[in-house]
Amino acid sequence: MGRRGKKGRFFEYRDERNADLLRVFKECILSALPTDGMCQIYRKMVSQKSKRFWVSEEQARKVVSYMMKGGDISYMSDNKQKMFAEIYHRVSKLQDQYPEALLYLLVEEVVSSEAPCFYMTPESAKVIISQIKKRCYEQRLRLLPFLR
């Protein structure tokens, strides 16, 4: 079983998100200028396109449904507000095209489509990349006795 988030919820797409973030990290490192510091690289990373919106379909459906009823999401972090606003906008456009479609199918379609960015802070990206590096290092250490 995977690790739980800070609120005790399991994020089912964690490994997939981390792989996508690592892909972008490598691209940013390779394209970095010699004068770029790691802070600039992490800022650039989170602004890159992502393979999908990194939120579960269920959570996105709940929030979009809430927004459709006039619910206010200003209690959320700035990045989450922006992400859900984009999801809501795309779902609304699809709803105009397919008025008979079920909301959960429209949300599923949107959430699994390419996102304009990662909707996370550079600091969060740094923590995730550090965790990935640590896991890779620990795996290599476990394999060392077999390589001798």
Side-chain angles (χ1 to χ4, degrees):
M1 188 183 236
R3 298 176 68 174
R4 295 185 177 274
K6 60 183 162 189
K7 292 186 181 174
R9 290 184 301 204
F10 173 69
F11 179 53
E12 59 192 295
Y13 294 109
R14 185 199 69 198
D15 292 341
E16 196 178 338
R17 181 211 52 206
N18 290 359
D20 196 25
L21 200 58
L22 187 58
R23 172 190 61 82
V24 171
F25 177 71
K26 289 175 182 176
E27 289 172 3
C28 289
I29 290 288
L30 290 173
S31 67
L33 300 172
T35 56
D36 288 347
M38 288 309 291
C39 289
Q40 290 170 291
I41 290 170
Y42 286 117
R43 268 197 304 279
K44 184 178 175 186
M45 275 177 62
V46 297
S47 68
Q48 299 298 305
K49 289 182 180 178
S50 180
K51 290 184 178 183
R52 59 168 285 142
F53 288 89
W54 297 113
V55 61
S56 72
E57 290 85 354
E58 180 184 356
Q59 180 66 16
R61 182 194 49 76
K62 287 177 184 176
V63 173
V64 167
S65 178
Y66 176 71
M67 291 171 75
M68 287 179 162
K69 295 173 188 167
D72 179 23
I73 61 168
S74 62
Y75 65 92
M76 293 181 178
S77 71
D78 194 42
N79 279 322
K80 281 193 178 187
Q81 285 183 52
K82 289 175 185 173
M83 179 182 70
F84 284 119
E86 179 63 23
I87 293 170
Y88 176 82
H89 173 73
R90 291 187 191 188
V91 167
S92 296
K93 282 176 80 173
L94 279 178
Q95 222 170 21
D96 290 343
Q97 287 180 272
Y98 308 100
E100 301 299 317
L102 297 172
L103 180 63
Y104 84 91
L105 292 174
L106 299 176
V107 170
E108 192 176 283
E109 177 70 25
V110 169
V111 169
S112 64
S113 66
E114 185 179 79
C117 65
F118 277 87
Y119 295 104
M120 69 173 56
T121 64
E123 294 78 19
S124 293
K126 180 181 179 180
V127 167
I128 293 167
I129 292 297
S130 295
Q131 290 169 346
I132 293 168
K133 286 178 175 179
K134 182 181 176 191
R135 266 197 305 279
C136 289
Y137 176 74
E138 289 169 351
Q139 287 173 344
R140 274 187 261 146
L141 282 181
R142 281 195 297 273
L143 288 174
L144 276 176
F146 299 110
L147 299 175
R148 291 181 190 163

